[in-house]
Amino acid sequence: MNNLERARRYIACTPGAVSGDGGHNRTFAVACSLVHTFHLDYAQAMVLLGEYNERCMPRWSPRELDHKVRSALKAPPRSGGSALGVPGRKRTTLPAASAPALNPVATVERLLGGFRCGEAELSQASVVKLPQDWKQGGATLLDHLFRKGEVVNFVVAFSTPQVGKAVPSGRGVCIEQEVAIHSWRAGGSPQCDGGGWLRMNPLDGRGITDANVAAFRFALVECDSIPLPLQIALLAKLPLPIAAIIASGGRSVHAWVEVNSSGPDEYRTIVAKMLRTLAHCGVDTNNKNPSRLSRMPGARRLIGGTPPGHQKLLYLNPTPTSHSIL
């Protein structure tokens, strides 16, 4: 177990700070433990203190967390690290005050610790055997992640607000799961020059807004602010219940994370917390609504894509757990 893993276990067992009950001192002590006892650098300490912050009442702002980590790095080291079996290391140099507080690429590199994997490794780890014909990925996903009788919505109309960029347009098509599977197995996923889009959660058949979501099953995790190889490796390592990973045909991959909440309020609370925790890794924090569109596997994306532009199903697990894929 490395220092980062030890520190994460420590964070998981540490009660959150409460305002008016020594909250500042408690949080500062946690920051000091991260940088001195576990010898984490600035970026790693910020990520784990952000995880700890989810249990604080009220939560600290990003600026306050930054101040606590910087203050901990300036403070003299405390003794006791050897009792945890953490090897000594030269103290981390404090980042310059003028430097950006967060660097997603550097953060993910440190979290991965040199780990890498590609599409082939993800596909080999898939719980469901993926189809040899990538164009059958859409039907395979619907067969395992949607239920008979549920209404599926997909979109293949698009507009081009700028050259080289296609965005979904219109209400799309609503169709029952088994009808879509039969059609897509025969002819492949529907598509257009912009590729194709699929709503992650079933609808009630009366509309396409959040109010029309029939089951709050999945949330979207996407981090296209970091290079594609890092995205794939990060998703393989994150301890999240990932049900599906789909190549967008461009510069990102989309992960469907199982939420299974009872309603919209609980869904938004769970998803917002998850996205805040992952923000340091460059994850898009705007993907909070349950009617969100994702890239549809089995379609080919020409506009804005990277040749060959395949929106390919890379991983599928109908019963995911909060353990790393690899």
Side-chain angles (χ1 to χ4, degrees):
M1 189 183 300
N2 60 33
N3 290 357
L4 186 63
E5 291 168 337
R6 291 175 184 271
R8 179 162 275 121
R9 288 196 175 188
Y10 158 74
I11 287 293
C13 298
T14 303
V18 179
S19 178
D21 188 25
H24 166 75
N25 291 339
R26 181 185 293 273
T27 306
F28 180 64
V30 171
C32 287
S33 294
L34 292 176
V35 301
H36 298 310
T37 303
F38 296 97
H39 304 286
L40 301 188
D41 61 23
Y42 170 82
Q44 292 171 320
M46 280 293 290
V47 170
L48 292 196
L49 198 63
E51 294 179 9
Y52 172 76
N53 192 37
E54 295 298 326
R55 298 196 301 278
C56 295
M57 300 177 58
R59 295 188 181 93
W60 302 99
S61 70
R63 177 177 294 183
E64 290 169 324
L65 295 180
D66 170 78
H67 175 70
K68 293 184 190 304
V69 173
R70 288 177 181 275
S71 298
L73 285 164
K74 291 177 181 177
R78 299 181 179 184
S79 60
S82 59
L84 295 169
V86 179
R89 192 176 75 181
K90 187 178 180 180
R91 289 188 66 197
T92 304
T93 302
L94 184 68
S98 59
L102 298 176
N103 181 337
V105 172
T107 298
V108 173
E109 288 277 16
R110 292 187 181 101
L111 289 174
L112 293 176
F115 170 81
R116 290 291 187 276
C117 75
E119 293 184 3
E121 287 82 5
L122 273 183
S123 297
Q124 289 172 3
S126 179
V127 175
V128 173
K129 185 177 180 180
L130 303 181
Q132 292 184 343
D133 182 359
W134 68 273
K135 290 180 287 188
Q136 292 295 313
T140 301
L141 181 141
L142 292 185
D143 192 21
H144 290 276
L145 299 188
F146 287 77
R147 297 165 187 164
K148 186 176 181 179
E150 289 184 333
V151 175
V152 176
N153 178 263
F154 64 90
V155 179
V156 290
F158 67 96
S159 61
T160 51
Q162 62 190 66
V163 176
K165 182 175 178 63
V167 298
S169 176
R171 298 168 61 89
V173 177
C174 286
I175 188 171
E176 289 191 353
Q177 178 249 24
E178 60 270 32
V179 177
I181 291 174
H182 177 76
S183 174
W184 295 9
R185 279 180 176 160
S189 297
Q191 61 184 359
C192 59
D193 285 350
W197 297 268
L198 175 68
R199 296 192 195 277
M200 297 177 295
N201 293 304
L203 304 180
D204 60 11
R206 297 190 292 270
I208 59 170
T209 69
D210 289 351
N212 302 113
V213 172
F216 300 84
R217 194 169 296 153
F218 301 112
L220 177 63
V221 169
E222 180 185 17
C223 45
D224 60 5
S225 62
I226 63 176
L228 185 58
L230 284 184
Q231 295 178 43
I232 294 174
L234 177 65
L235 292 177
K237 274 297 185 183
L238 285 174
L240 291 175
I242 295 177
I245 298 177
I246 304 162
S248 72
R251 63 176 186 173
S252 67
V253 287
H254 291 186
W256 291 21
V257 178
E258 188 177 67
V259 178
N260 278 339
S261 65
S262 59
D265 293 337
E266 183 185 35
Y267 178 93
R268 289 182 178 276
T269 298
I270 294 172
V271 175
K273 177 180 178 180
M274 175 181 68
L275 296 179
R276 281 198 306 269
T277 302
L278 297 173
H280 300 295
C281 298
V283 167
D284 189 343
T285 58
N286 294 318
N287 295 330
K288 299 175 184 176
N289 57 308
S291 61
R292 174 76 54 171
L293 285 166
S294 173
R295 284 286 170 175
M296 178 165 56
R300 185 182 181 191
R301 177 182 178 183
L302 300 179
I303 299 176
T306 302
H310 294 169
Q311 296 179 187
K312 186 178 179 181
L313 184 61
L314 303 178
Y315 175 84
L316 187 61
N317 182 0
T319 56
T321 62
S322 295
H323 294 286
S324 299
I325 295 173
L326 293 172

